[in-house]
Amino acid sequence: GEAASRGLIVMAGAAAWQSGHKVFAAGGQGHGFAAEQANHKIDRLTGKKATIVGGDNAKDGADRIVDGQQIQTKYCGTAARSVGAAFDGQQGNYRYIDESGKPMQLEVPKDQVANAIRTMEKKIAEGKVPGVTDPKEAEKLIRPGHLTYEQARNITKFGTIESLSYDLSEGVIVGLSAGGISFGITAFVYYLNTKDMKAALRVAVVQFGKTSAKTTLVYVSAQQLHRLESVQSMLSVIDAEALSPGIRQFLEKGFGVSRNGVSNALRGTIVTSVVLVAVTTGPDLIKLVRGRMSKAQFLKNVAVASSGVAGGVVGSMVGGAAGMSLGPVGAIV
């Protein structure tokens, strides 16, 4: 159970690092992507049928679809810039038109809505929005985002309430998945040894709680580290393009990513593995400092934890490379 859950959390961390890099990349415009992702999550939580479609990079395509409404998300420093970014230059027309010829809704920071509506009214009056002539339609075109501009920026920063909440929303799901695997294996093995179903379930429930909590902590910690420019700089030396074609292809299959995503998946694996070992051996370090554990025993425990994490990673990647659709599933194998 421990090996399987370790493999899952490390592979989940690798996947998150690869998919979330454009949000956290130093010097980028990650807050725009963060706003898109966070607004999507909140829409889903409030019962709306929401999907993100902007990943297809279609020219002037929607970023999101919520209850059938195509949406373009723009989070800039001012309302004028947020609205202006949806037009083809200062004198151009509104860029985002759906298949039926109607303008998509423009999602802006919730603290910019009033000024954004006024800006859109001026654009409509100037004839810059195809198919719309009444400035009052601006209220229907402007969609208030769930986040303010500052909240979106805070998602990309280390240690803020917004960034921790963002990571927790995903970390809890990963934690429950790892806990579920641990529960099943623990209950099965304990029952085989004791033939006591009630005792097996009790032990498995405790293990579920421990694994879920630890996995969530590791996931959130690793993703917080992703926001630090110093960490990104240190990891930049890891480049999958320097590897042989055979190893690179194995990693692509093992991680379940494209060739361009291998480097970031490797970086995520390393950081998540280090955090996992640190969290696993943290209680032993406290014992060592308090004189309740010998240095030799502590080093032995670190070695055991490290080898366990390495085994989980290898098991996951071999499972993925053998044809599994998801790396974490390979951890069970």
Side-chain angles (χ1 to χ4, degrees):
E2 279 291 315
S5 61
R6 284 170 178 166
L8 187 143
I9 176 54
V10 173
M11 296 302 285
W17 197 284
Q18 187 272 330
S19 64
H21 188 66
K22 65 180 181 180
V23 176
F24 308 130
Q29 293 295 313
H31 64 275
F33 296 114
E36 180 183 314
Q37 294 285 341
N39 282 322
H40 169 71
K41 291 176 187 293
I42 295 172
D43 279 335
R44 293 289 296 270
L45 287 172
T46 54
K48 294 183 175 65
K49 184 179 180 181
T51 55
I52 290 181
V53 294
D56 59 6
N57 293 319
K59 180 177 173 57
D60 295 340
D63 288 326
R64 309 196 301 124
I65 299 177
V66 180
D67 291 337
Q69 173 66 56
Q70 293 189 32
I71 298 169
Q72 175 66 211
T73 300
K74 295 294 184 186
Y75 268 62
C76 299
T78 66
R81 289 176 60 192
S82 294
V83 174
F87 288 79
D88 190 11
Q90 198 65 14
Q91 304 299 322
N93 289 337
Y94 190 68
R95 295 162 50 196
Y96 301 102
I97 308 298
D98 65 21
E99 294 81 358
S100 65
K102 296 181 180 180
M104 301 177 194
Q105 278 191 335
L106 181 64
E107 184 174 57
V108 301
K110 68 178 182 180
D111 55 329
Q112 297 180 5
V113 171
N115 288 336
I117 291 175
R118 284 194 286 270
T119 303
M120 184 63 80
E121 287 174 344
K122 293 177 182 178
K123 293 287 188 181
I124 293 174
E126 294 169 359
K128 302 299 183 182
V129 183
V132 181
T133 57
D134 186 358
K136 292 182 180 179
E137 291 294 306
E139 290 188 12
K140 296 180 181 178
L141 288 179
I142 297 297
R143 182 186 185 93
H146 295 290
L147 279 68
T148 66
Y149 177 73
E150 191 61 28
Q151 286 173 328
R153 286 179 60 84
N154 283 343
I155 287 177
T156 68
K157 297 178 181 178
F158 175 86
T160 64
I161 294 297
E162 291 85 357
S163 69
L164 289 168
S165 299
Y166 184 90
D167 291 342
L168 273 171
S169 68
E170 296 180 340
V172 168
I173 296 173
V174 176
L176 291 174
S177 299
I181 292 174
S182 184
F183 175 90
I185 295 177
T186 300
F188 178 69
V189 172
Y190 196 90
Y191 176 74
L192 285 181
N193 290 329
T194 65
K195 304 301 181 182
D196 188 336
M197 179 59 73
K198 291 184 178 180
L201 290 175
R202 284 198 301 271
V203 172
V205 166
V206 171
Q207 190 61 36
F208 169 84
K210 290 181 179 179
T211 301
S212 296
K214 184 169 75 173
T215 298
T216 302
L217 175 60
V218 170
Y219 184 94
V220 171
S221 299
Q223 296 312 302
Q224 284 290 309
L225 289 174
H226 196 168
R227 292 166 169 83
L228 297 178
E229 187 174 355
S230 57
V231 174
Q232 293 183 35
S233 179
M234 284 191 296
L235 293 173
S236 63
V237 298
I238 300 172
D239 185 4
E241 293 302 311
L243 302 173
S244 68
I247 294 177
R248 197 168 57 238
Q249 289 176 7
F250 169 77
L251 293 175
E252 288 176 27
K253 293 179 180 179
F255 286 125
V257 298
S258 66
R259 176 171 176 169
N260 292 334
V262 175
S263 292
N264 276 326
L266 274 173
R267 294 162 188 165
T269 299
I270 291 171
V271 174
T272 308
S273 297
V274 170
V275 173
L276 179 53
V277 172
V279 170
T280 300
T281 59
D284 292 336
L285 179 60
I286 294 174
K287 292 179 182 178
L288 176 66
V289 171
R290 292 180 175 179
R292 297 178 181 177
M293 179 179 288
S294 67
K295 185 177 180 180
Q297 183 62 49
F298 173 74
L299 292 175
K300 177 182 177 182
N301 291 355
V302 171
V304 170
S306 300
S307 62
V309 170
V313 173
V314 172
S316 294
M317 294 190 65
V318 169
M324 296 288 186
S325 60
L326 294 173
V329 176
I332 303 174
V333 178

